[in-house]
Amino acid sequence: MGSFQYVSGKTEEALLKEITLAFSHCNIPPRILASLSYQQRPIPIDIDNLQVWNKELFQALDISHSIDERVATFQEYMQVRFRLSKEDDRFNDDPPTRAKVDYKKLLLGWLFDSDNEQGAAWRSWVESRFGLITRYHGEPIGPPDSESELRFRQLCAKAIHNTNELYSQLDALYQFCQHELNFRFPSASHLTLYRGCADLPEYSIEDKEVHLFNNLSSLTSDPESALRFGTKVYEVRVPKFKVVCFDSLLPGSLNGEQEYMVLGGLYQGRKVNF
């Protein structure tokens, strides 16, 4: 991970232990990904085997000449790769138990209410790929085997039922998001975003005021838009690699509030006074 040392003190280590799993499916250990050190000095995140499985897609994207062309290439690839067209089910003799959920429906579901069934699928994917534990989903999530944790797991299971490799779809979407961010912000390591909330878990770590974000959270590039989510607004430098999706990545996905879906963990930020 380069010459920079990712080091955490005892207070931070204890907190990181509570909010991360011991394993993930990416190149960065969960405790590092969620740490303040990673916010300060981020490096790219690679989900296991993603470059191999989607090699043809990103070769095509690299030779595309416009945003519209890249979006069309991505959507066509997703439709073919994951059989998202209704016609792809014409050889299936079993009637579907419900309409199949795909990455587009998950995006719309998140936009409508991040604490719904689609939001549970998103947060379950984040746990699987990045090892960041869901702390809140409609209610605070307790420790393993608690009633709140069981309710969340049941919702996750329901959310991913009858889907075509839903986690793999989100893997590809994340990779496309990173590819597009590199086109739009080639020299940036961070994006300045804003988090609006009524209350945000706050800690003091080595005399620093630190905030804990849920494993997947919504932020915005517009501070006034952040006021729609709560009276407290925080400005945060978010590592570009922790952005999962953003408002203009795909037409009709998160439009309206300049929204960014961001991986959670510990963040330093400053309160915005209007």
Side-chain angles (χ1 to χ4, degrees):
M1 294 187 182
S3 60
F4 181 77
Q5 297 295 313
Y6 288 84
V7 178
S8 303
K10 290 184 178 180
T11 301
E12 184 178 356
E13 275 295 328
L15 185 54
L16 290 172
K17 186 176 180 180
E18 293 181 11
I19 64 174
T20 60
L21 299 169
F23 56 87
S24 67
H25 288 286
C26 71
N27 62 319
I28 301 177
R31 290 190 194 181
I32 291 178
L33 186 59
S35 70
L36 294 174
S37 293
Y38 184 84
Q39 184 193 13
Q40 179 184 355
R41 294 287 295 272
I43 62 174
I45 302 171
D46 295 321
I47 297 176
D48 294 349
N49 298 317
L50 204 55
Q51 296 289 344
V52 175
W53 289 113
N54 298 318
K55 182 178 180 180
E56 292 181 0
L57 167 63
F58 291 92
Q59 287 176 337
L61 290 174
D62 285 339
I63 60 175
S64 299
H65 300 292
S66 67
I67 293 174
D68 290 343
E69 188 176 341
R70 291 193 296 272
V71 168
T73 297
F74 174 74
Q75 291 181 327
E76 181 179 357
Y77 173 86
M78 295 293 281
Q79 183 173 347
V80 174
R81 165 69 175 80
F82 297 106
R83 300 180 61 195
L84 302 183
S85 171
K86 291 182 179 180
E87 293 183 0
D88 290 331
D89 286 330
R90 62 189 182 276
F91 300 116
N92 186 358
D93 295 330
D94 299 325
T97 56
R98 67 168 189 173
K100 285 190 175 179
V101 176
D102 58 29
Y103 73 102
K104 290 183 178 180
K105 292 179 180 177
L106 286 193
L107 283 170
L108 291 174
W110 178 273
L111 178 63
F112 179 73
D113 179 8
S114 62
D115 290 328
N116 61 15
E117 185 177 308
Q118 292 77 32
W122 273 111
R123 290 186 167 126
S124 178
W125 169 75
V126 169
E127 290 185 338
S128 168
R129 275 22 183 183
F130 307 101
L132 305 178
I133 294 175
T134 303
R135 303 277 294 179
Y136 186 93
H137 190 81
E139 62 178 336
I141 305 298
D145 299 326
S146 65
E147 292 187 4
S148 59
E149 205 266 348
L150 179 59
R151 284 192 290 270
F152 175 66
R153 297 301 161 199
Q154 290 174 334
L155 192 61
C156 291
K158 182 180 178 183
I160 64 175
H161 172 66
N162 190 41
T163 60
N164 287 350
E165 301 180 68
L166 188 59
Y167 283 2
S168 294
Q169 291 182 42
L170 299 185
D171 291 347
L173 178 64
Y174 170 77
Q175 191 178 11
F176 177 58
C177 173
Q178 290 299 310
H179 188 276
E180 195 61 35
L181 286 173
N182 286 333
F183 265 99
R184 302 189 190 191
F185 309 101
S187 60
S189 62
H190 293 75
L191 302 178
T192 299
L193 301 176
Y194 300 87
R195 171 70 169 162
C197 57
D199 191 23
L200 192 63
E202 184 177 306
Y203 302 86
S204 179
I205 297 177
E206 298 181 357
D207 298 324
K208 300 174 183 176
E209 185 178 293
V210 175
H211 299 283
L212 172 60
F213 290 179
N214 201 6
N215 68 341
L216 187 65
S217 300
S218 288
L219 283 78
T220 175
S221 58
D222 177 27
E224 293 190 358
S225 293
L227 283 171
R228 301 177 187 177
F229 300 96
T231 56
K232 296 180 181 179
V233 175
Y234 296 91
E235 180 185 277
V236 184
R237 291 182 73 244
V238 175
K240 180 170 65 175
F241 313 116
K242 294 185 82 169
V243 176
V244 169
C245 190
F246 58 96
D247 62 337
S248 60
L249 180 65
L250 297 173
S253 57
L254 299 173
N255 291 343
E257 294 169 342
Q258 297 173 288
E259 184 174 349
Y260 286 68
M261 297 171 67
V262 172
L263 297 177
L266 299 176
Y267 286 90
Q268 274 189 278
R270 71 172 188 88
K271 188 174 181 180
V272 179
N273 296 315
F274 292 90

